[in-house]
């Protein structure tokens, strides 16, 4: 499934900058950054559950926010983009 993750971390309080970096690092380990606080991830259901749990432990539930948008397997028809696109197609072959 294709999942869009967005987040907003309150950086003005103690530990906020660290939480922000940890959320961004965790998301980049699982997907691709498409905007500053937006990641696209290709996950199976078990990975999705695990990633939500990891991120839920990082953020401050009183001040920070995470949103998960499940776009499903046929996400190509649900995503439109205008402007510079620095992302790659997660379904394309990966050559190492």
């Amino acid at each position: 499934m294709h999942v869009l993750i967005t987040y907003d971390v309150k950086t003005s309080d103690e530990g906020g900058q660290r939480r922000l970096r940890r959320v961004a690092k965790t998301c980049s380990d699982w997907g691709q950054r498409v905007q500053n606080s937006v990641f696209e991830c290709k996950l199976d259901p078990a990975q999705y559950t695990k990633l939500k749990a990891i991120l839920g432990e990082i953020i401050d539930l009183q001040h920070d926010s995470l949103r998960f948008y499940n776009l499903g397997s046929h996400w190509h028809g649900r995503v439109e983009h205008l402007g510079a696109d620095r992302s790659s197609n997660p379904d394309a072959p990966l050559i190492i």
Side-chain angles (χ1 to χ4, degrees):
M1 76 178 87
H2 201 78
V3 178
L4 186 73
I5 301 172
T6 66
Y7 56 87
D8 187 23
V9 176
K10 183 178 180 183
T11 56
S12 61
D13 66 349
E14 185 177 339
Q17 290 288 339
R18 182 172 185 267
R19 288 194 315 275
L20 177 66
R21 286 190 302 274
R22 288 183 65 204
V23 168
K25 171 71 170 95
T26 300
C27 287
S28 68
D29 288 345
W30 291 79
Q32 174 176 271
R33 183 187 299 261
V34 293
Q35 291 186 354
N36 285 339
S37 297
V38 181
F39 282 80
E40 290 180 353
C41 304
K42 187 174 180 182
L43 307 168
D44 64 37
Q47 291 171 321
Y48 178 59
T49 301
K50 183 174 182 177
L51 179 55
K52 282 196 316 184
I54 292 169
L55 291 172
E57 291 178 9
I58 294 172
I59 67 167
D60 180 341
L61 295 174
Q62 299 296 317
H63 302 287
D64 304 336
S65 172
L66 286 168
R67 287 184 178 254
F68 300 87
Y69 299 90
N70 185 345
L71 301 175
S73 299
H74 305 288
W75 63 275
H76 294 284
R78 295 184 178 110
V79 176
E80 294 184 43
H81 182 268
L82 298 174
D85 185 5
R86 294 173 187 85
S87 64
S88 62
N89 181 350
D91 293 327
L94 178 63
I95 300 172
I96 299 176

